[in-house]
Amino acid sequence: MKNNCIVSYIFLGVIILLLSACNAIKHVNEGEHLLKKNTIKVNDKKNIDDEVNTYLMQRPNSLVLGIPVSLNFYNLGSKNFLHPYEIWRDSFPKRHRSFSKAFSEKQSRGYRNFKNSINEWFFRSGEAPVVLDTLKTVETAKNLRDYFQSEGYFRATVDYKETFKSKKRVTVEYNVNTGKAYKIDSISKNIRTPILDSIYEKNSNASLIKKGNQFRFKDFENEADRLTSIYRNTGIYHFNRNTIHFDADSSLVPFKANIHLNINNRLIEENDSIYSTPFRVQKISKIDVYTDYSFSRKNDPYNATDTYNKYTFHAHDEIKYNSKLLTNSIFIYPDSIYKDEDRDLTRKNLRGLKNFRLVDIKYTELNQDSLAAQIFLTPYKKYSFAVNTELSHSNIKQMGVSGKVSIMNRNIFRGAEILNFSLQGSFFNSTDVADQDKNIFFNAWEFGGDVSLEIPRILFPINTTKIIPKNMAPKTNFTLGTSFQKNIGLDKQLFTGIIGYNWQSSKKIRHRFELINAQFIKNLNPESYFEIYTSEYNDLIDVSESMSETITIPPEMYDDNGNLIPLDFIDYMLDPSNNFESSHPNEYGDTQNIDSKYNIITENVLVPAITYEFTYNNREDYKDTDFSFFRVRLASAGALTTQFAKETPESSNKELFGIPIAQYLKGDFEYKKFWGMGDENTLAYRAFLGVAVPYGNSSTIPFNRSYFIGGANDLRAWKIYDLGPGSTENDLEYNVGTLKFLTSLEYRFNILNSFKGAIFADAGNIWDITNSELIEEEGKFTGISSLTDIALGTGFGVRYDFNFLVVRLDLGFKTYEPYLAKGKKWFTNYNFNHSVFNFGINYPF
């Protein structure tokens, strides 16, 4: 706790330093004014449209919580250091003599150069004061006028006012008078090519230009894009957007515009002359695929040839790909009309095979009505060897260094399959043993290996083409793996086998179905249970002390040091011949509960699951800051496997090869929403709901498939496993449940270049919904009233963006603690002594 407090104060000190105020006009010269604020008023009302703000040519210095942090950082620098050493020496002779007298000339120069480097870093990393430039004010007014005119306000006017404040500061106000908007009165067209006119008429109902709509330039641009897309996907290969022209006449009726659409014929330049000809629908009559193209051998002959369904495949020496299977990723079809969509889909799917580093598609005109398509593929090397090391972090592995060696074999069965074999190992700091040996930073390790095969098609006994067509880029994945974990809980060995399918039904929607996701979990060190779960051991000691008041406990229940031997004592307490169930019912019941927990956590288990995952993500690209994400994952474990298993006489549970089979249903639902707020500021929201229900062969959920809460990516004011279930307050090291709710709201903002900041609030908890006798009533979910058990944590954080990853430091404070007495739940431990410091890699969600 003491170390955590020290880290917390250091963390807070860094925040205060970054936000500390400085003289904002330190580097503003005489006659200059620091721009403090821009205001845009539209028809005497303050503008609330973010798009309008994008036309400002000059903006004030960026703010963090109302403080110009970047400017303050810049102002930490001194321009006296911007000159060469000799100028500095002559400008400050007394300072120079003092340094030279105390040190040598060389040391004086070195000291000054060192301070100069720091000074330059302040200027380079900070943000220079934004000084008013009236020319940019004038340019902004022009931009605003042009924008509103493009929105149909042809008579819009913009005035501006620069108000000079005291202490070299200025504000600028722009006043926009839009006037009345022009609307579309009539629409006419002149499409010279008959086939284009026919296609236009078939698609005219979806036109973005309609009578009565407000005149907006962007609508005409979008309509031109729409028509271009339609034509280029209905066989008009030579069509281009520049062929479309819109003319507007607004002189006839006040505030009305008549629109005329012109689409000319195709222009052809030939023999120093240009002539026009009607556009024609063109078909693909020939398709050639070059499977080993390279620029260095582009002029070498292609000696190997193969054909399949009118596709011709070429290679310099040998065609190494199965022609039939490769066509599964080609969507340009023989005798079909030309389509941009087919070309783009072909390029996307061929790249998705991860066998080709270059995919290039070209078309050649054979005659007026037909085209030849040429697909050039440059393959990667068949074998690749990779060694990766990384800094890792998770809820259980607080800090780790890992390494991975992998060998990839591409096109192993000539169908663009990928076989991957990897070995990985890591050393890390585990929360399980973090308090056992504080002198060892990396107190745990993990080693494992796996082999996987990715096949770019669906391998299933039933034909799935109608349900999952090839344009959804389906893939089949086989994985076999094992890993050993040391000093994580009871130490584990895991064997995993997966047969999975994934496909993308649209740009925004992905699916994954795992026919088999089987995992065998073997505890390698069950005898360490009471060393790790010390609270359980302490409960046993309490039982023994209570028993010793009335009976004499046999000495063999203790080791040579006088410590209670847990398992021997449990057997002694539960031995029917001792009749403790009737003579000491409370102690017997407590021991029985401890024994049940021990058996649940130390039991080896087979988890054969069938899973389905649906993901919706409408993010356009990595620059998109306004998007939504939704994921649902459903799992059914043991439903089929138990049909082939036999019951054991001892427990009436079904086992396979002597291993109990876990049987449960589980559903995870997650929603995220992000709002971009300009200047690299983002508001992020997350909600998660998880439910797991055991049935049949199981009365509980396997420990590693249960829900927990807390940690750097979860409820950040509590350490992992520290909270729950419900309002129970116990000393268990690992608290888990079968129901979980979590929600987070986080405001992310830019502080200084790559330094980012955040303010967050996390709320959630776990509960038990199995009515287990091992869980106290306070830990069970009983309905709406249980929602008062939701814990709340708030805090702030600093992040550094390395572009390829984000290092995150978050400080969480316990704001509402449901397990405390009434009247003490709010802000009782809202202080640095009880705060939780989180180190994370990348954003929490």
Side-chain angles (χ1 to χ4, degrees):
M1 183 65 71
K2 181 179 179 181
N3 291 335
N4 184 62
C5 184
I6 292 173
V7 172
S8 300
Y9 280 112
I10 293 174
F11 186 49
L12 180 62
V14 172
I15 296 292
I16 294 174
L17 178 63
L18 289 173
L19 298 181
S20 60
C22 293
N23 181 9
I25 59 173
K26 176 180 177 179
H27 294 303
V28 177
N29 298 324
E30 288 298 326
E32 296 180 338
H33 293 81
L34 180 70
L35 179 61
K36 292 294 293 180
K37 185 179 180 181
N38 284 319
T39 302
I40 301 176
K41 288 187 176 181
V42 181
N43 297 328
D44 297 326
K45 293 182 179 180
K46 188 174 181 179
N47 170 65
I48 58 174
D49 188 349
D50 288 337
E51 184 176 358
V52 174
N53 292 329
T54 62
Y55 293 93
L56 290 166
M57 293 294 294
Q58 194 173 31
R59 298 166 182 263
N61 292 98
S62 58
L63 302 176
V64 176
L65 304 178
I67 300 172
V69 175
S70 297
L71 174 60
N72 290 345
F73 200 82
Y74 181 91
N75 287 338
L76 291 175
S78 172
K79 293 189 176 181
N80 292 331
F81 281 95
L82 296 179
H83 309 293
Y85 174 77
E86 287 74 18
I87 298 179
W88 173 81
R89 179 192 60 196
D90 297 338
S91 301
F92 303 94
K94 291 184 179 180
R95 190 178 303 177
H96 171 258
R97 283 196 300 270
S98 298
F99 273 103
S100 299
K101 187 176 180 180
F103 307 99
S104 67
E105 177 72 16
K106 180 179 180 181
Q107 289 173 323
S108 177
R109 181 185 292 269
Y111 174 77
R112 186 266 171 191
N113 290 339
F114 170 73
K115 290 198 67 175
N116 185 54
S117 298
I118 296 177
N119 190 71
E120 288 180 346
W121 180 66
F122 285 137
F123 287 132
R124 186 171 59 251
S125 302
E127 183 182 12
V130 177
V131 176
L132 176 68
D133 184 341
T134 301
L135 292 178
K136 291 183 178 180
T137 304
V138 174
E139 186 68 19
T140 296
K142 179 179 179 301
N143 289 346
L144 290 172
R145 185 185 70 246
D146 292 346
Y147 166 74
F148 281 98
Q149 288 181 350
S150 73
E151 289 289 290
Y153 299 100
F154 295 162
R155 300 181 183 180
T157 59
V158 180
D159 297 322
Y160 66 85
K161 179 182 179 182
E162 297 174 342
T163 303
F164 295 92
K165 307 288 185 178
S166 60
K167 298 183 181 180
K168 300 181 181 179
R169 290 169 171 82
V170 64
T171 61
V172 181
E173 181 179 293
Y174 299 92
N175 290 286
V176 181
N177 186 355
T178 63
K180 188 176 179 179
Y182 278 71
K183 293 187 177 182
I184 297 173
D185 188 41
S186 65
I187 304 170
S188 59
K189 64 180 175 67
N190 178 26
I191 303 176
R192 298 189 178 184
T193 299
I195 186 63
L196 295 191
D197 189 53
S198 175
I199 293 172
Y200 175 85
E201 289 296 334
K202 290 180 181 179
N203 296 275
S204 60
N205 288 337
S207 175
L208 303 177
I209 309 299
K210 296 183 182 294
K211 182 178 179 179
N213 284 2
Q214 185 170 322
F215 187 104
R216 289 187 173 92
F217 284 175
K218 62 184 178 183
D219 289 341
F220 293 94
E221 294 175 354
N222 292 337
E223 175 68 3
D225 291 338
R226 185 187 76 92
L227 292 176
T228 301
S229 177
I230 290 172
Y231 289 138
R232 290 192 60 82
N233 285 291
T234 49
I236 315 300
Y237 169 69
H238 289 288
F239 191 86
N240 65 78
R241 192 179 185 279
N242 294 333
T243 309
I244 300 174
H245 301 282
F246 288 101
D247 295 322
D249 184 358
S250 58
S251 61
L252 300 178
V253 181
F255 303 104
K256 299 284 186 179
N258 298 316
I259 308 302
H260 186 72
L261 167 65
N262 287 293
I263 301 181
N264 296 320
N265 285 335
R266 175 189 173 193
L267 293 178
I268 300 176
E269 185 174 352
E270 190 175 279
N271 298 327
D272 297 328
S273 62
I274 298 176
Y275 64 94
S276 66
T277 184
F279 286 97
R280 303 176 70 94
V281 173
Q282 293 181 295
K283 291 187 175 183
I284 311 297
S285 59
K286 184 181 179 183
I287 302 174
D288 292 286
V289 183
Y290 299 87
T291 60
D292 62 352
Y293 172 82
S294 66
F295 183 80
S296 61
R297 298 190 64 187
K298 65 177 182 177
N299 296 320
D300 293 356
Y302 289 89
N303 299 316
T305 303
D306 187 28
T307 58
Y308 174 76
N309 278 1
K310 297 185 179 181
Y311 293 90
T312 304
F313 294 84
H314 307 271
H316 291 294
D317 303 310
E318 177 189 359
I319 298 177
K320 298 180 180 180
Y321 292 86
N322 183 300
S323 301
K324 178 181 178 180
L325 296 178
L326 197 56
T327 58
N328 286 332
S329 299
I330 299 176
F331 298 86
I332 302 170
Y333 300 100
D335 302 321
S336 65
I337 62 173
Y338 171 83
K339 293 182 180 180
D340 274 358
E341 293 173 348
D342 293 347
R343 179 201 60 198
D344 296 340
L345 192 58
T346 297
R347 184 184 292 113
K348 174 186 173 183
N349 279 266
L350 287 172
R351 287 175 176 170
L353 295 177
K354 294 180 283 189
N355 270 247
F356 307 104
R357 63 181 179 85
L358 175 67
V359 177
D360 191 20
I361 302 174
K362 297 180 179 179
Y363 292 89
T364 304
E365 190 171 52
L366 299 177
N367 54 55
Q368 289 184 332
D369 298 314
S370 63
L371 300 169
Q374 296 175 308
I375 302 174
F376 298 93
L377 306 176
T378 303
Y380 288 109
K381 292 181 179 179
K382 182 173 177 60
Y383 296 98
S384 63
F385 177 81
V387 177
N388 299 314
T389 58
E390 63 179 16
L391 178 71
S392 61
H393 171 79
S394 70
N395 281 325
I396 297 177
K397 305 170 187 178
Q398 294 297 299
M399 172 70 76
V401 176
S402 62
K404 182 178 181 180
V405 177
S406 59
I407 300 174
M408 181 182 291
N409 184 344
R410 295 182 178 88
N411 194 36
I412 184 172
F413 301 122
R414 299 183 66 246
E417 305 88 358
I418 296 177
L419 178 68
N420 192 74
F421 174 76
S422 63
L423 295 173
Q424 55 269 345
S426 59
F427 295 90
F428 46 87
N429 178 260
S430 171
T431 56
D432 293 346
V433 291
D435 295 328
Q436 296 180 21
D437 191 345
K438 298 180 187 248
N439 296 321
I440 301 176
F441 183 71
F442 291 128
N443 51 32
W445 57 265
E446 181 176 355
F447 177 79
D450 60 69
V451 58
S452 64
L453 177 65
E454 181 181 290
I455 301 173
R457 49 196 173 275
I458 297 291
L459 292 187
F460 199 73
I462 303 174
N463 189 341
T464 61
T465 305
K466 292 184 179 180
I467 303 174
I468 310 173
K470 70 176 188 176
N471 64 342
M472 294 184 181
K475 289 182 173 61
T476 303
N477 297 277
F478 297 92
T479 302
L480 288 174
T482 184
S483 66
F484 299 85
Q485 297 175 345
K486 182 67 175 176
N487 281 346
I488 305 180
L490 304 175
D491 301 341
K492 286 181 172 58
Q493 182 176 10
L494 290 86
F495 296 92
T496 304
I498 300 173
I499 300 176
Y501 309 91
N502 57 74
W503 64 96
Q504 188 170 351
S505 58
S506 71
K507 184 179 179 181
K508 301 176 182 178
I509 297 176
R510 294 180 178 272
H511 308 262
R512 179 169 178 79
F513 173 69
E514 292 177 339
L515 181 64
I516 298 175
N517 185 331
Q519 190 173 65
F520 170 52
I521 304 166
K522 182 179 181 181
N523 294 296
L524 301 178
N525 195 18
E527 61 273 12
S528 296
Y529 176 86
F530 290 100
E531 296 176 12
I532 297 169
Y533 292 82
T534 55
S535 59
E536 297 288 276
Y537 182 69
N538 293 333
D539 288 344
L540 271 184
I541 292 177
D542 291 341
V543 171
S544 69
E545 291 176 349
S546 177
M547 293 291 292
S548 64
E549 294 177 358
T550 56
I551 66 170
T552 301
I553 298 176
E556 57 266 26
M557 296 296 105
Y558 299 90
D559 62 19
D560 295 338
N561 297 318
N563 296 318
L564 189 71
I565 302 175
L567 295 179
D568 290 351
F569 182 72
I570 289 175
D571 291 340
Y572 168 72
M573 285 294 300
L574 301 182
D575 188 343
S577 64
N578 291 326
N579 200 30
F580 291 143
E581 184 175 5
S582 58
S583 63
H584 296 78
N586 292 333
E587 290 82 356
Y588 181 88
D590 291 342
T591 305
Q592 195 174 43
N593 284 341
I594 294 171
D595 183 55
S596 297
K597 292 178 184 178
Y598 170 82
N599 290 329
I600 289 171
I601 294 180
T602 62
E603 183 180 48
N604 299 330
V605 65
L606 176 65
V607 187
I610 298 174
T611 70
Y612 169 72
E613 182 173 296
F614 170 92
T615 303
Y616 171 87
N617 188 350
N618 65 359
R619 189 175 191 178
E620 295 292 335
D621 52 48
Y622 73 96
K623 295 181 180 179
D624 188 4
T625 56
D626 283 281
F627 64 96
S628 300
F629 172 95
F630 175 72
R631 179 182 65 87
V632 57
R633 188 175 191 271
L634 305 174
S636 173
L640 297 178
T641 312
T642 51
Q643 304 303 315
F644 306 98
K646 296 182 178 180
E647 290 186 0
T648 59
E650 296 81 7
S651 64
S652 298
N653 287 339
K654 292 186 176 182
E655 296 182 352
L656 190 64
F657 307 116
I659 305 168
I661 300 171
Q663 199 167 15
Y664 63 84
L665 298 173
K666 188 176 183 181
D668 295 344
F669 307 87
E670 184 176 23
Y671 173 75
K672 302 176 188 177
K673 175 64 178 176
F674 298 83
W675 295 271
M677 306 183 74
D679 295 328
E680 300 185 61
N681 296 340
T682 303
L683 185 64
Y685 173 76
R686 166 183 60 177
F688 175 89
L689 177 66
V691 182
V693 181
Y695 72 97
N697 205 50
S698 300
S699 59
T700 60
I701 304 297
F703 178 79
N704 74 327
R705 299 298 174 94
S706 299
Y707 295 108
F708 60 85
I709 199 163
N713 300 319
D714 208 276
L715 191 61
R716 283 165 280 185
W718 278 264
K719 293 181 180 179
I720 182 173
Y721 292 112
D722 270 5
L723 179 65
S727 60
T728 57
E729 184 177 21
N730 53 53
D731 297 324
L732 287 179
E733 287 73 15
Y734 299 94
N735 294 297
V736 296
T738 50
L739 171 66
K740 177 177 179 178
F741 173 73
L742 175 69
T743 185
S744 298
L745 185 66
E746 181 170 286
Y747 177 63
R748 301 168 183 169
F749 51 87
N750 185 55
I751 296 178
L752 182 68
N753 292 335
S754 296
F755 280 101
K756 316 293 180 182
I759 300 172
F760 61 84
D762 304 322
N765 208 333
I766 54 173
W767 294 267
D768 174 72
I769 58 173
T770 65
N771 202 29
S772 171
E773 296 179 355
L774 304 179
I775 304 297
E776 300 176 22
E777 289 301 317
E778 292 84 357
K780 297 179 180 179
F781 188 85
T782 57
I784 298 298
S785 60
S786 294
L787 296 181
T788 59
D789 298 338
I790 294 177
L792 173 64
T794 56
F796 55 89
V798 173
R799 294 86 191 272
Y800 188 86
D801 190 350
F802 287 96
N803 292 323
F804 60 93
L805 62 81
V806 175
V807 175
R808 173 168 51 90
L809 304 175
D810 288 335
L811 193 61
F813 297 88
K814 294 176 177 60
T815 308
Y816 177 83
E817 300 174 75
Y819 44 79
L820 295 182
K822 187 176 181 180
K824 295 184 178 181
K825 297 179 184 290
W826 287 96
F827 301 106
T828 297
N829 294 306
Y830 195 83
N831 52 60
F832 284 103
N833 289 331
H834 294 88
S835 63
V836 175
F837 177 77
N838 297 281
F839 171 83
I841 303 296
N842 292 327
Y843 290 103
F845 59 92

